[in-house]
Amino acid sequence: MILAASHLVTGDGKTHLQNAALRLETDGRIGFIGSREEMKHRYPEDAAQDFGEATILPGLFDMHVHFGYYYSQPDIGNYDDYMIAYYALRQASSALRLGITTVRDLSSPHNLLKQLRLAGEKGYVKVPRIFHSDTGICMTGGHGHQDGIVEADGPWALRKEIRRQCRDGADWVKILTSNREDLAEFTQEELDAAVDESHRRGYKAAVHAGTQPSIQMCIDAGFDTIEHGTFMTAEQGRQMAEKGIAWVPTITAYAYLYQQTRKLIEEGGDLSNPISARAVKDQAFFKPAYESYRDHFKEIYDTGVTVLAGTDMVLYGAPPLPLNRELAYMVEYGITPLEAIRTATVNPARVLGIDKETGCLKEGLLADILVVKGNAAADIAALNQVLEVRMAGKSVFKAPEEPCCP
């Protein structure tokens, strides 16, 4: 099977081929990549689908999701284990429709993502490739404790919880150590212990750290990814680049919260939802957070720190998994569309350790493919118009065909 389009983006941050095509092998991998004409010459008998003025690119990665975050639902009392599973499946289905073929879930109810992944492997449901932590871990009364996050205090309590989560099938460890204040919730000793326990067991660790001094403490501890890093400095970006720590900024979550809380305050609205009420209370935090990303993203990106795209969108009524918006913000703040796409393809594949299997359009890799209308190399808004999504060569989503006539 041949797929062709006017544009092909490999995901490496620089390669844009025009009038290109790739061949899908029977084992679900990518075969030859070349021009339309060369493909026709080499494989004249193969069936072909030409998408025209469109872009073929790798399936996208969302490196910060919460498929099982039901806590902002207005009828939260209806959410037993069954309803939470249905909700998570809906989130997974949304991911595929948006061209997201791999996700990293950083805290959902215990065992939910493990079982959702198994259901996908058994063929019961269609889901993206899933990597996951167990529930996140915070200090007693720390950030997220009211939303299902496990509380642990002291180095050995943290080590014990990490051991339990590894035993129960987690792929990553997730720590939370700051909220909206400049308060380091875990001590340096506790953070060091969390990283040490994760690494000595062969697991990577992510940490929620948005404010100072928590960000610096997490850099010093040696976490593998820092989530949010809202008020990170360029100097800290350089330190992270030197230590191999990746940054997941989640710009969209903060921009959306700033915009929506401002709207609620100015126009009024329903504050009966506890998450919305809490967000309005924190509006004084969201404005400088939004401005910090806007004013410093490009400066930090230029330090060479590995940037990973993630959405972290959990607010009721918000667009699910808005990865297209996340990449659009990155472009608006100064990087190219090709560089932004790399944050959702090659970079996360390397951090997850699967770059020899997927994350790039390259001969021999799995055919995880996204096709969008338009030229994504020139206009990142092309990601808003998904035409088809494939995982290991198999179509998992196809947009309805537009009627050809009135």
Side-chain angles (χ1 to χ4, degrees), residues 104-361:
R104 184 183 59 157
D105 188 289
L106 289 179
S107 191
S108 282
H110 177 61
N111 267 350
L112 176 63
L113 270 294
K114 176 184 174 181
Q115 297 300 87
L116 183 61
R117 178 169 63 192
L118 180 60
E121 292 169 353
K122 287 180 175 292
Y124 298 161
V125 294
K126 287 183 180 179
V127 297
R129 185 178 294 102
I130 294 171
F131 292 82
H132 66 94
S133 69
D134 200 314
T135 50
I137 308 170
C138 70
M139 73 173 193
T140 296
H143 178 51
H145 76 278
Q146 67 272 54
D147 296 331
I149 302 299
V150 173
E151 296 169 295
D153 299 303
W156 286 104
L158 278 164
R159 288 182 187 271
K160 182 177 181 179
E161 178 59 24
I162 289 168
R163 291 170 183 174
R164 183 197 65 76
Q165 294 191 2
C166 294
R167 178 201 68 191
D168 290 349
D171 304 311
W172 279 67
V173 171
K174 167 72 178 297
I175 302 294
L176 297 91
T177 187
S178 62
N179 191 9
R180 311 299 186 210
E181 311 86 18
D182 291 335
L183 170 68
E185 296 187 347
F186 279 123
T187 66
Q188 190 68 57
E189 181 186 19
E190 289 171 315
L191 295 173
D192 292 347
V195 172
D196 178 68
E197 189 62 38
S198 301
H199 287 178
R200 78 183 194 87
R201 297 291 306 279
Y203 292 82
K204 290 186 175 181
V207 62
H208 172 118
T211 59
Q212 305 290 359
S214 290
I215 296 171
Q216 187 61 51
M217 293 170 69
C218 293
I219 294 171
D220 294 341
F223 280 88
D224 298 283
T225 66
I226 290 182
E227 312 302 308
H228 317 303
T230 311
F231 297 103
M232 185 191 303
T233 66
E235 172 55 31
Q236 288 173 327
R238 281 186 283 272
Q239 292 177 38
M240 290 169 64
E242 291 171 1
K243 298 184 72 168
I245 301 172
W247 177 36
V248 189
T250 65
I251 300 166
T252 306
Y254 289 88
Y256 183 86
L257 282 164
Y258 166 60
Q259 293 158 1
Q260 292 304 305
T261 52
R262 185 178 64 177
K263 184 177 180 181
L264 282 169
I265 291 170
E266 292 175 354
E267 300 178 10
D270 180 14
L271 297 181
S272 61
N273 181 285
I275 304 299
S276 296
R278 196 189 312 162
V280 166
K281 182 181 178 182
D282 290 337
Q283 210 271 342
F285 173 85
F286 295 130
K287 183 176 187 292
Y290 163 77
E291 293 171 346
S292 181
Y293 287 118
R294 181 195 65 195
D295 297 341
H296 300 292
F297 173 77
K298 179 61 162 58
E299 178 187 12
I300 297 171
Y301 178 91
D302 286 344
T303 66
V305 63
T306 296
V307 177
L308 309 176
T311 55
D312 189 30
M313 187 60 75
V314 297
L315 196 66
Y316 176 73
L321 309 168
L323 198 65
N324 54 341
R325 295 192 186 190
E326 184 73 11
L327 301 190
Y329 274 119
M330 292 183 187
V331 173
E332 180 183 339
Y333 295 165
I335 68 175
T336 70
L338 291 178
E339 290 171 329
I341 290 168
R342 181 185 172 103
T343 72
T345 53
V346 167
N347 286 0
R350 288 181 177 171
V351 169
L352 292 173
I354 58 172
D355 52 308
K356 303 301 182 185
E357 286 292 305
T358 189
C360 187
L361 297 187

Side-chain angles (χ1 to χ4, degrees), residues 3 51 57-60 94-102 126 367-372 386-399:
L3 301 182
F51 290 93
L57 63 156
L60 304 177
S94 296
L96 293 177
R97 292 196 300 272
L98 295 166
I100 299 166
T101 54
T102 304
K126 287 183 180 179
D368 293 345
I369 292 170
L370 166 62
V371 185
V372 299
V386 174
L387 299 177
E388 187 169 4
V389 183
R390 289 176 178 264
M391 286 186 66
K394 295 181 180 179
S395 183
V396 293
F397 173 77
K398 187 177 291 187

